[in-house]
Amino acid sequence: MTDHELKSLLEGMTLEEKVGQLVQCNAGNFISNSMGITGPDGEALPAEEMNRVLGSVLTFENAEQAKALQEKHLAADRNRIPLLLMMDVIHGLRTTYPIPLAMGCGFDDALTAECADMARREASACGVHVTFNPMVDTARDARWGRIMETYSEEPMINGRMGAAIVKITQGKNLADPENIACCVKHYAAYGAPEAGRDYNAVEMSERQLRESYLPAYKACVDAGARLIMPSFNALNGIPSVANQWLMNQVLRKEWGFDGVVISDYDAVGELVTQGVAADAKDAARLAMEAGCDIDMVKNIYYEHLAELVREGIVTEEALNAAVMRVLRLKNELGLFENPYHGASEEKEKAVYLCPAHRETARRAAEETAVLLKNEGVLPFRKDVKRIALIGPFAESRQLNGFWSRPGAEQYTVTLPEGIRNLLPEAELVTEKGCGADLGDMDRGGIEAAVRAAKEADAVILAIGEPEYDSGEGRSRSDVTLPGVQMELAERVIAANPNTAVLLFNGRPLAVPELSRIAPALLEMWYPGTEAGNACARLLWGDANPCGKLSVGLPYSVGQYPMPYNRTNTGRPKPGPDGQPVPFTSCYLDGPNLPLYSFGYGLSYTRFEYEKLETDRDSIGREDCLQVSVTLRNAGERRGKETVQLYLRDRVASVVRPIQQLIDYQKVELAPGERTTVRFRVTEKQLRFWNFACREVSEPGEFEISCGWADHLLLTRRFELK
Ligand code: BGC
């Protein structure tokens, strides 16, 4: 349709019909639906009546349902305006890829895009028009369970991965039935809730917000994301969905966003609970004034918006503008011509879990695992006779993590399956040992696990956190290993030193003691469908670990917040971390630095950084500094290394981070091979938000380094003139 046709469609709509376009409800209101929802379901809704005017639907199961929903709606809507069908396709639909936090550890934008590309093919076949993805909240606190949904503690990484996802998912033309629209979330600063407790308020200076939180959302908006979701939290006193500064000023005016804003689940209604709206009607007014176009699931707009317009409290102009944005999105998706978009049962059969998707899922699981420690245990020898597989995850299929689609775990390859695929001859004994649940203190299985460990040639200890202990609404005040898993680890490792520990978790865990005693420690996060195959290949060296931490792992929860890009105090602790030094910035009872720093990760080979060079000593504002890093694979295996480029502004008008990642590149080298990785540094990358909240760069001296956080290996200075 032309814009002119859309406008005349709008003109012919009644007030109720217009409001309907701004309403989203659960598919479960129309069809029996077993898909998970994340908020209160609420009272029974006038579904049939609503169907006549409804604009969009949240979460359904398959192409058949998608078509049925659309058909039923079109038959009831006299304007024949198709529904928008939306779903959280976060790390895959039927084929599940590693959780986003793991993908961040891959430090590979192309790999992240490849997974998103395959997720898009499955989701479009299922009938999805809009995915609530990517989530690019900066998250720096492991207590917050939703840290698993983001890529990193570093907004630059989140922005790069988010933008890559948006581009591949939306494609060049949204009307192509294989493309779907992206909704970026959760705008803004949802990942910084007070005390790490989900949904909690965020108090933050505008400078900090602009420096460390907004850039990732902006990168996705710049990449063309068609929707954005305001966050649940109050930001500096105003919940995002009612935050006019955030939405009208920053998002629409400064960034020029012209797409659709959709509230989070019942976030409009929650304005009442948060105490900024007197009642539901008032909440509808506040959200409309802040430019929230669609109200997700609790019918606040449905029940109150028409009345607000009739009373002149919300202008018809504002209503029309919101409806036009929704109609334009439907039009961009080509729904007026093809309301079913990509929904196809045949296509579902062809693409769900197809070999290409599984292959990428396996590679992604391998390339996002982070080898934290290895005292010569890994890779295991392939001629091993007897393997003991111990721990609560030994036989589990719960290896997908939060936001995997319900039922997807039935396709997940377990550890025993993966090991048997690789080593069909080896004898494999499994023992659970104990549970992983919080509060599960049953030690009954430990003795049998110890016996199995003693009798084995190689032991795999698979421990961690249950997959639904991280994710939405899953905050913890302590981030150690739950239950008696640490006791199990101590006993098993003492029984057999040829033990490799696999960690399955969605948040950084504080495991200093485990890290001290474990002969080998491999952080697997939640690897998804191909978990078992990927683990086996990593353990036996068919795959070489190459993940780097995109978020630091703490010694203890008391260290939070502990951003890798911290600033110096006037009294930094001198010398090695560990012992306190009086009257310096330190803890009396533990280190300052993380247990494992941002950017850290081992390999079965060894990379040597030989040279860091710049093509000049100073640059002007228009120039570009050429940086080259030479490294060599000094070990005996082929491997991948993420070359990380850090910046330090020596003197500025505000304190600047002692290390700031500004770029990265992943390279693969054969044994003995040497390569030079080149980066370009421009004035733009030297900018920061000053005290007056302006984005500036200041002339002076800078340092550029490679290595990883807290372990910068080579450094060069240059000047900005
Ligand atoms: C979550 C969002 C999600 C939405 C729809 C909410 O509870 O915060 O991330 O997109 O539900 O499922």
Side-chain angles (χ1 to χ4, degrees):
M1 273 203 215
T2 62
D3 220 48
H4 182 73
E5 286 168 323
L6 287 180
K7 278 189 187 130
S8 45
L9 174 64
L10 178 76
E11 272 161 28
M13 289 165 76
T14 65
L15 186 52
E16 278 70 22
E17 285 168 347
K18 288 181 187 175
V19 168
Q21 288 304 309
L22 310 185
V23 174
Q24 171 160 104
C25 72
N26 271 315
N29 291 329
F30 304 104
I31 46 174
S32 81
N33 178 299
S34 60
M35 304 303 277
I37 50 162
T38 54
D41 199 11
E43 56 284 354
L45 304 167
E48 295 304 326
E49 168 56 22
M50 195 194 238
N51 185 31
R52 204 171 48 79
V53 295
L54 190 65
S56 63
V57 159
L58 167 70
T59 305
F60 51 94
E61 258 174 87
N62 49 34
E64 191 191 344
Q65 276 193 0
K67 288 185 186 166
L69 281 163
Q70 193 68 287
E71 205 175 340
K72 191 167 173 187
H73 166 75
L74 288 172
D77 181 357
R78 73 174 183 105
N79 297 311
R80 295 192 59 80
I81 302 174
L83 288 173
L84 272 173
L85 304 184
M86 309 201 190
M87 187 145 39
D88 292 278
V89 183
I90 312 288
H91 51 114
L93 188 89
R94 206 52 75 81
T95 313
T96 309
Y97 302 89
I99 57 169
L101 190 58
M103 292 310 299
C105 296
F107 277 88
D108 187 338
D109 307 352
L111 179 65
T112 300
E114 189 180 326
C115 296
D117 190 26
M118 294 178 166
R120 165 190 70 95
R121 293 167 105 248
E122 295 193 11
S124 61
C126 172
V128 175
H129 306 150
V130 172
T131 171
F132 297 114
N133 193 44
M135 188 276 220
V136 292
D137 301 327
T138 304
R140 299 176 161 176
D141 188 332
R143 291 176 296 181
W144 191 55
R146 296 196 84 167
I147 195 169
M148 55 74 56
E149 271 179 68
T150 193
Y151 297 87
S152 172
E153 63 168 282
E154 166 51 53
M156 186 265 295
I157 299 178
N158 292 338
R160 266 169 71 161
M161 297 213 170
I165 291 169
V166 168
K167 285 189 186 141
I168 201 89
T169 308
Q170 296 193 157
K172 290 213 164 54
N173 174 16
L174 270 182
D176 180 331
E178 282 206 340
N179 291 340
I180 54 184
C182 285
C183 176
V184 182
K185 62 193 190 182
H186 308 84
Y187 179 69
Y190 181 45
E194 250 174 42
R197 188 154 43 75
D198 205 6
Y199 315 121
N200 211 358
V202 177
E203 283 293 326
M204 183 181 287
S205 70
E206 184 183 339
R207 192 168 68 82
Q208 167 79 327
L209 185 69
R210 291 196 183 262
E211 182 82 34
S212 303
Y213 289 82
L214 297 189
Y217 310 107
K218 179 165 189 299
C220 296
V221 167
D222 289 345
R226 299 311 299 138
L227 299 95
I228 197 162
M229 183 189 289
S231 53
F232 282 123
N233 56 285
L235 176 63
N236 296 332
I238 303 185
S240 299
V241 72
N243 196 321
Q244 297 195 33
W245 175 79
L246 201 57
M247 311 262 276
N248 297 335
Q249 173 60 32
V250 180
L251 177 65
R252 298 237 188 245
K253 282 214 187 81
E254 288 180 29
W255 300 355
F257 179 71
D258 63 358
V260 170
V261 172
I262 176 165
S263 83
D264 205 341
Y265 201 106
D266 188 28
V268 180
E270 289 173 13
L271 292 173
V272 180
T273 327
Q274 281 165 301
V276 293
D279 51 29
K281 185 174 164 188
D282 201 25
R285 172 186 66 82
L286 285 171
M288 274 303 283
E289 282 172 1
C292 171
D293 300 322
I294 301 179
D295 169 23
M296 189 191 284
V297 302
K298 287 305 284 294
N299 288 341
I300 307 295
Y301 280 6
Y302 186 69
E303 280 158 18
H304 303 284
L305 195 49
E307 195 182 334
L308 283 165
V309 174
R310 269 189 223 107
E311 289 169 357
I313 297 171
V314 170
T315 64
E316 182 122 23
E317 200 188 345
L319 176 71
N320 286 347
V323 176
M324 263 313 271
R325 285 192 284 265
V326 174
L327 294 179
R328 282 201 185 108
L329 176 61
K330 292 183 174 182
N331 194 39
E332 272 183 81
L333 281 156
L335 296 181
F336 288 100
E337 291 76 29
N338 174 14
Y340 304 110
H341 203 55
S344 150
E345 287 93 331
E346 297 76 59
K347 192 84 189 286
E348 281 180 301
K349 283 199 201 98
V351 295
Y352 283 178
L353 296 153
C354 67
H357 292 190
R358 289 199 97 131
E359 203 276 326
T360 294
R362 197 206 72 229
R363 194 156 36 82
E366 290 167 5
E367 301 205 354
T368 56
V370 186
L371 183 62
L372 298 173
K373 185 180 175 190
N374 186 17
E375 287 179 339
V377 171
L378 292 178
F380 284 139
R381 294 169 57 110
K382 280 211 174 140
D383 59 5
V384 63
K385 297 245 155 21
R386 196 179 161 93
I387 304 161
L389 178 53
I390 296 171
F393 293 89
E395 291 185 289
S396 173
R397 284 188 199 280
Q398 317 293 319
L399 305 173
N400 287 338
F402 201 97
W403 285 129
S404 50
R405 303 309 307 167
E409 68 281 359
Q410 61 187 294
Y411 310 106
T412 299
V413 180
T414 63
L415 292 170
E417 287 163 358
I419 294 168
R420 282 198 197 100
N421 288 341
L422 191 75
L423 301 171
E425 307 294 313
E427 190 189 338
L428 184 62
V429 182
T430 55
E431 281 294 339
K432 189 172 172 203
C434 66
D437 287 342
L438 285 167
D440 181 347
M441 304 306 278
D442 185 357
R443 296 174 169 80
I446 294 185
E447 291 309 326
V450 171
R451 274 198 302 280
K454 274 194 187 133
E455 289 161 11
D457 306 318
V459 180
I460 300 157
L461 182 61
I463 53 181
E465 255 191 339
E467 61 172 351
Y468 284 95
D469 277 7
S470 55
E472 185 175 352
R474 269 64 172 185
S475 303
R476 288 184 64 190
S477 60
D478 167 34
V479 295
T480 57
L481 271 175
V484 294
Q485 293 183 94
M486 199 48 224
E487 281 180 45
L488 176 70
E490 278 164 4
R491 296 285 312 279
V492 166
I493 292 166
N496 191 333
N498 198 30
T499 296
V501 180
L502 298 181
L503 274 177
F504 296 95
N505 48 296
R507 59 158 54 80
L509 291 176
V511 287
E513 185 54 19
L514 178 67
S515 149
R516 195 180 66 75
I517 63 172
L521 188 56
L522 186 58
E523 173 61 79
M524 289 305 305
W525 307 110
Y526 296 116
T529 305
E530 285 288 312
N533 288 330
C535 288
R537 284 167 47 86
L538 285 162
L539 289 168
W540 273 276
D542 280 16
N544 188 355
C546 61
K548 304 278 183 189
L549 292 174
S550 62
V551 60
L553 305 190
Y555 274 94
S556 73
V557 79
Q559 290 180 296
Y560 284 115
M562 53 157 215
Y564 83 93
N565 59 348
R566 62 191 176 276
T567 54
N568 248 347
T569 65
R571 294 183 180 188
K573 182 162 70 164
D577 203 12
Q579 290 307 305
V581 179
F583 301 106
T584 67
S585 181
C586 65
Y587 296 109
L588 295 180
D589 55 359
N592 281 10
L593 294 180
L595 174 60
Y596 292 109
S597 292
F598 175 89
Y600 169 82
L602 302 172
S603 162
Y604 294 153
T605 190
R606 205 164 39 81
F607 292 97
E608 272 173 12
Y609 283 77
E610 296 179 334
K611 255 190 305 190
L612 169 70
E613 290 179 314
T614 51
D615 68 333
R616 55 185 100 178
D617 295 330
S618 67
I619 57 168
R621 303 183 71 80
E622 308 299 323
D623 300 336
C624 159
L625 183 77
Q626 310 278 352
V627 180
S628 53
V629 182
T630 305
L631 74 157
R632 192 171 74 92
N633 181 347
E636 265 132 48
R637 278 167 189 270
R638 170 172 283 277
K640 288 190 178 179
E641 170 75 344
T642 297
V643 181
Q644 306 165 40
L645 198 66
Y646 290 86
L647 182 82
R648 179 171 184 179
D649 190 343
R650 297 291 311 174
V651 180
S653 57
V654 293
V655 290
R656 299 293 300 135
I658 60 164
Q659 50 195 0
Q660 177 70 48
L661 185 74
I662 56 164
D663 208 345
Y664 56 86
Q665 268 182 57
K666 200 166 186 173
V667 290
E668 182 167 12
L669 293 180
E673 198 184 347
R674 173 181 281 115
T675 193
T676 299
V677 176
R678 291 174 210 285
F679 297 95
R680 293 156 50 93
V681 177
T682 62
E683 178 272 333
K684 215 170 158 208
Q685 285 160 293
L686 312 182
R687 292 184 195 166
F688 61 92
W689 291 85
N690 71 9
F691 193 72
C693 232
R694 296 227 168 73
E695 199 183 16
V696 296
S697 61
E698 293 175 355
E701 206 166 27
F702 291 82
E703 277 174 10
I704 198 106
S705 310
C706 60
W708 66 97
D710 312 320
H711 298 83
L712 302 177
L713 301 171
L714 300 170
T715 297
R716 299 272 311 189
R717 288 195 175 194
F718 70 95
E719 200 191 341
L720 173 69
K721 289 234 168 92

